Structures are given as structure tokens and as C-alpha cells.
Amino acid sequence: VSQGGMWELIMHGPDGTDYPNRSRFREIVKHKRISFDHISDPRFTFTADFTDLGDKTQIDIRMVFESAAIKNKVVTEFGAAEGMVQNVERLDFYLQKGYPASEVTFTRILNADRDLVFKAWTDRGMLSKWWGPKGFSCPTCDFEPRLGGKIYIEMKGPDGTVYPMDGEVVEYDPPRKLRFVSAALDQNRNRLFEVDNCVTLESLEEKTRLTLKVRVNHIKPGSEPYLKGMNEGWSQSLERLLNFVES
């Protein structure tokens, strides 16, 4: 993030619609201001000013459009005002809890065909090669590739700590879709929380678009250390998957 730098992202709607966004940062003042020009339609300038209020922070957000007509369209048709309120509420939740509210989505383009990518998710031998953050291994990796199939994985961290998890397959539509529920286990093999993981694969000629939607449910006390690292853990796992199928 720097002045003149580009920011590209794709938001995924609940109905699966993709909303690509491209912006260029125009001003970055550490701890005080972030401003960027949204250069894909609709065009606007976004500015967020941050005011220190002791143990709280006030955020003032302004969005300037090219015309009142465009602004009105964005507010009425796209629900921009309500969307911004929800974004700030989710940010507040994340800063207080250390993990995202509700649902997070990851998207990757892999230089491999869809059949291979799907197999990498469902073949226990292949799954064990990439599952887990950087530096982790999977000495135990059981995955039954069928509807209702059981999952049991033990990840081993660089310090030797073992992290067990179990789960089950709830949707199985090869090679298009895989959905499974997984759960981190405490020392007594009780579930700390459940994660609904939905993997969708789209063929792009010789490449594959992977979309992973992750929703956390049934959070119990003691889950916080696991949830704080979940986003980064998935990012690193997907990077390992990308390297595995492209090697």
C-alpha cells in the first residue's frame, strides 16, 4: 500500500456473482488518512480519516462521485450506504475479536486443469502434501471422497505441536464442487468450533478458478487462538496447493 499503488479485488455476492474492483491509492498518511480513486465503474474517490479517541478510533468516510446521478444510482441500486455501514461493523468485529465475522472468501487462479485440482482436495495422498500453513506437515490425513465421508487430519507445526481436526463431506459434485465441515479439536477431542468450507472450481481452458468460502459456526471458549490465524493459515495453504498442482 503506497501512493500511486494499485489495489485490485473481487467481491463475491451471496448468489455467486463476482464484483471486480480496481483502485489507485492517491494519499496514504500513516494513522491519519487513506484515500484512493476507484477507477472501475462506478468511478469515485474514497477517503477515510482516522481520529484517535484514546482507546477508540473515529472513522470519517467520504465518497465523491462524478455526478449526483451516479451517486444516487449507487446508493439506491447497489445499497452502497448500507454496505459501507456493514463493512465498518465487520471491521469493528475483526479488530475486537481478532478473527473475521461470519464468512470470508478466497479466490485463486491455478495453472492446472480442474480434474487435477479437485483430486488434490480429495485424494488423501495428495491432500497431505499441501494441507496446512507453511512449515506444517500432515502425518495423519484421512479423507473419504464421497457424500457423508469422514475426515480426520492431524497437522504438525514446526515446533512439533499436533493440531487434530475432524469433519465430514456434506456436498460432493466432482470436479465442480466440494463442501465439507471441519472442526478443530481440543485436548479432550471436543470440537472448539465448526467451519463450513465450500470449494467451487471453474474451468478456464487450461487453468482453474478456485473459490473457497469459509464460514465459522458454533464458536466455543478457547477458540480465539485458532481463529486469529485462520485467514493467514488458509492463504498459506492455498499457496502450497498452487505450488503443488503446478509443479
Side-chain angles (χ1 to χ4, degrees):
V1 178
S2 61
Q3 185 171 327
M6 296 297 298
W7 179 25
E8 299 189 20
L9 66 91
I10 299 176
M11 294 192 300
H12 299 280
D15 61 355
T17 302
D18 288 344
Y19 299 92
N21 293 264
R22 298 182 73 246
S23 302
R24 179 180 290 109
F25 290 104
R26 60 186 300 165
E27 187 178 10
I28 303 293
V29 182
K30 189 175 182 179
H31 300 157
K32 293 184 178 181
R33 172 175 290 180
I34 297 175
S35 181
F36 60 81
D37 293 319
H38 190 265
I39 57 178
S40 53
D41 290 333
R43 293 177 176 268
F44 59 85
T45 296
F46 174 99
T47 302
D49 290 309
F50 303 88
T51 303
D52 186 355
L53 301 178
D55 60 350
K56 297 182 179 180
T57 300
Q58 176 177 311
I59 306 177
D60 295 297
I61 295 175
R62 297 186 302 281
M63 297 173 66
V64 180
F65 295 85
E66 294 179 334
S67 69
I70 295 176
K71 184 265 290 184
N72 292 335
K73 180 178 180 179
V74 170
V75 171
T76 57
E77 292 188 17
F78 300 124
E82 176 59 26
M84 186 57 62
V85 170
Q86 293 182 18
N87 279 340
V88 174
E89 289 176 344
R90 293 177 69 184
L91 171 62
D92 181 52
F93 184 96
Y94 179 80
L95 293 175
Q96 292 190 56
K97 300 292 187 178
Y99 53 87
S102 186
E103 182 177 286
V104 62
T105 300
F106 303 86
T107 301
R108 298 290 188 274
I109 303 296
L110 294 83
N111 292 313
D113 67 73
R114 185 167 65 166
D115 287 341
L116 175 60
V117 177
F118 190 86
K119 187 176 181 181
W121 278 90
T122 56
D123 180 277
R124 66 183 67 183
M126 298 176 70
L127 186 63
S128 66
K129 300 295 184 183
W130 64 266
W131 183 273
K134 183 179 179 181
F136 281 66
S137 62
C138 285
T140 301
C141 185
D142 294 327
F143 189 102
E144 295 180 354
R146 60 176 179 82
L147 182 63
K150 300 302 181 184
I151 302 169
Y152 181 76
I153 295 175
E154 291 184 353
M155 293 191 303
K156 187 175 183 181
D159 62 356
T161 302
V162 174
Y163 300 89
M165 58 160 279
D166 66 7
E168 53 276 335
V169 178
V170 295
E171 285 190 58
Y172 189 74
D173 182 16
R176 189 184 69 86
K177 186 176 183 181
L178 170 70
R179 181 168 160 246
F180 61 96
V181 173
S182 59
L185 305 177
D186 64 16
Q187 59 183 2
N188 296 317
R189 302 287 166 159
N190 296 315
R191 290 188 168 190
L192 289 167
F193 56 90
E194 293 182 357
V195 184
D196 189 326
N197 310 274
C198 184
V199 182
T200 305
L201 303 178
E202 177 188 356
S203 290
L204 301 175
E205 295 182 351
E206 296 180 354
K207 299 183 179 182
T208 300
R209 181 198 301 276
L210 181 153
T211 302
L212 169 64
K213 293 184 179 181
V214 179
R215 178 180 291 273
V216 181
N217 302 303
H218 308 304
I219 300 172
K220 296 180 180 179
S223 302
E224 289 77 9
Y226 297 85
L227 294 172
K228 285 182 179 180
M230 187 179 70
N231 279 10
E232 181 60 25
W234 264 123
S235 293
Q236 293 183 20
S237 289
L238 293 176
E239 184 68 21
R240 294 181 65 190
L241 168 63
L242 185 149
N243 291 333
F244 177 74
V245 299
E246 294 184 359
S247 61

